[in-house]
Amino acid sequence: MKSLLELRKFVAPEFIFGSGARLLVGRYAKNFGARKVLIVTDPHVLAVGLIDPVLTALKNEGISFEIYSNIKTNPTASQVMEGSRVYLNENCNFIVAVGGGSPMDCAKAIGIVSSNKKGIHEFEGVDKVPIPSPPLICIPTTAGSAADVSQFAIITDERRKLKMAIVSKTVVPDVALIDPETTLTMDKSLTIATGFDVLSHAFEAYVSNASSPITDLHALEAISLAGSNLIPTSNDLNNIDLRSKMMLSSLNAGLAFSNASLGLIHAMAHSLGGFLDLPHGECNALLLDHVIEFNFEAEVKKYKDISTALGLNIDELDDKTVKKVLINKIRDLKVESDVNKPLKDVGVSMGDIPQLAHKTMNDACIITNPRRPTIKDVEEIFKNAL
């Protein structure tokens, strides 16, 4: 049991939540002294027109801009370096990210590369960024990554085939303009994948060995909102009220994990996603129940709280039964969401597991897992999910 006297830090950007929040980008950029903005986005966001109101808002304030959109589902180190060259060559002094976790993480990385004049690999790990990014506004268009409020940036190293975790206060955006209307363009599969990302963020933040009473509040609220609204939202994609609840869930989960960090689910998902270039939310979904099974005994009371937040009645149940009920609930959600599949279905073979486990053990997220795994433990979890 952690003492309330333990020192804990809580970092968050200024954020505006609600319909039309993205339209304030021009006013905020002007207040920050933006002269020329690098807009970081991806081809899909461009194609569906989500960027158009942002461009209009900047034009209305007389602010010029350059667009960088060469970003994959999992942004790579080479894309970060390319984006930073555009930023510097175009003489920009401000960054606006519009998109899901990929453009936002890439924008954060572009910012620190541009200000520090070093390769992105130099910043891998915790608190490795000496000079802050230029001013950054994030406009999320998915309800999942919460990169708009977090001190994390996840970048794929193509050479090592893994995802680098960059954790630093310097990558916390200055402002997040969180507008649920932007999520109406998400299809069902993306809605589900990002929803499982939210659940994974909140679960891991709540049981993290760096959690606090403040992060716990946000984590439980995120679990309650996502647990009750993920399936309804995926079945009613144009319902703005449901979309708003999932966006609020993502925000709460982001505030929680940004400050409590994550755990083994994300360490394994980063390894898996970097190795096979899979969507991050899908990787979390494939691993979620298997890691809970491993971690449960280390934080029984907290997993009981999670069960209650998911709406499960566990009052009369012993610990062993609670564990079973919680894991079955997660698996039922996966079945309803059509993501209840083994790792072999996404291309993992038994021969890949030692390499995946080795990369997992070197991921920064593993440090705050409530139970310290050995490499054999991680290999066993991958095998169970295979």
Side-chain angles (χ1 to χ4, degrees), residues 22-40:
R22 69 195 187 282
L23 305 179
L24 299 173
V25 63
R27 184 190 309 174
Y28 270 96
K30 183 179 181 181
N31 289 345
F32 273 94
R35 181 188 67 255
K36 186 170 186 180
V37 174
L38 180 69
I39 298 174
V40 182

Side-chain angles (χ1 to χ4, degrees), residues 4-60:
L4 290 178
L5 297 176
E6 282 189 64
L7 289 172
R8 286 291 184 263
K9 179 177 72 171
F10 194 93
V11 176
E14 179 178 354
F15 61 83
I16 309 290
F17 185 100
S19 180
R22 69 195 187 282
L23 305 179
L24 299 173
V25 63
R27 184 190 309 174
Y28 270 96
K30 183 179 181 181
N31 289 345
F32 273 94
R35 181 188 67 255
K36 186 170 186 180
V37 174
L38 180 69
I39 298 174
V40 182
T41 188
D42 65 33
H44 173 73
V45 173
L46 278 176
V48 298
L50 283 172
I51 201 144
D52 297 342
V54 174
L55 303 184
T56 300
L58 291 172
K59 286 175 185 173
N60 288 343

Side-chain angles (χ1 to χ4, degrees), residues 81-261:
M81 300 311 292
E82 181 182 57
S84 68
R85 285 192 293 273
V86 174
Y87 178 91
L88 294 169
N89 291 341
E90 291 295 328
N91 198 26
C92 298
N93 73 330
F94 200 93
I95 302 174
V96 172
V98 186
S102 301
M104 289 191 288
D105 279 355
C106 197
K108 291 176 173 186
I110 288 169
I112 58 175
V113 166
S114 300
S115 60
N116 288 272
K117 310 291 196 301
K118 291 182 178 179
I120 190 61
H121 298 87
E122 300 280 333
F123 311 115
E124 183 178 2
V126 180
D127 292 333
K128 299 284 181 66
V129 186
I131 303 171
S133 165
L136 170 65
I137 293 176
C138 282
I139 302 174
T141 61
T142 64
S145 75
D148 47 298
V149 295
S150 83
Q151 51 185 328
F152 282 68
I154 308 298
I155 303 297
T156 297
D157 180 343
E158 310 101 305
R159 183 177 53 80
R160 291 182 291 165
K161 285 193 170 182
L162 58 76
K163 290 190 172 186
M164 300 183 291
I166 298 164
V167 189
S168 171
K169 183 181 176 181
T170 61
V171 300
V172 177
D174 294 279
V175 180
L177 302 176
I178 307 167
D179 191 336
E181 290 180 14
T182 64
T183 63
L184 290 168
T185 62
M186 294 166 64
D187 63 18
K188 184 165 185 168
S189 64
L190 184 57
T191 299
I192 288 166
T194 51
F196 273 97
D197 199 14
V198 171
L199 284 173
S200 302
H201 287 156
F203 280 26
E204 295 212 287
Y206 193 64
V207 300
S208 162
N209 59 34
S211 64
S212 72
I214 306 302
T215 60
D216 285 352
L217 284 171
H218 290 290
L220 286 179
E221 180 66 9
I223 292 164
S224 177
L225 283 166
S228 57
N229 291 291
L230 173 55
I231 300 301
T233 306
S234 70
N235 291 327
D236 190 5
L237 298 174
N238 294 318
N239 188 318
I240 189 62
D241 291 329
L242 291 174
R243 289 292 193 186
S244 297
K245 288 174 181 175
M246 288 305 297
M247 199 65 140
L248 187 58
S249 176
S250 177
L251 170 60
N252 274 291
L255 293 171
F257 89 76
S258 179
N259 291 284
S261 196

Side-chain angles (χ1 to χ4, degrees), residues 188-189 192-193 196 230-231 234-235 282 285-286 330-342 345-346:
K188 184 165 185 168
S189 64
I192 288 166
F196 273 97
L230 173 55
I231 300 301
S234 70
N235 291 327
E282 182 184 356
L286 298 177
I330 299 301
R331 288 177 179 161
D332 286 346
L333 275 175
K334 287 170 66 169
V335 169
E336 285 187 83
S337 304
D338 200 28
V339 290
N340 192 39
K341 55 190 174 186
D345 282 10
V346 296

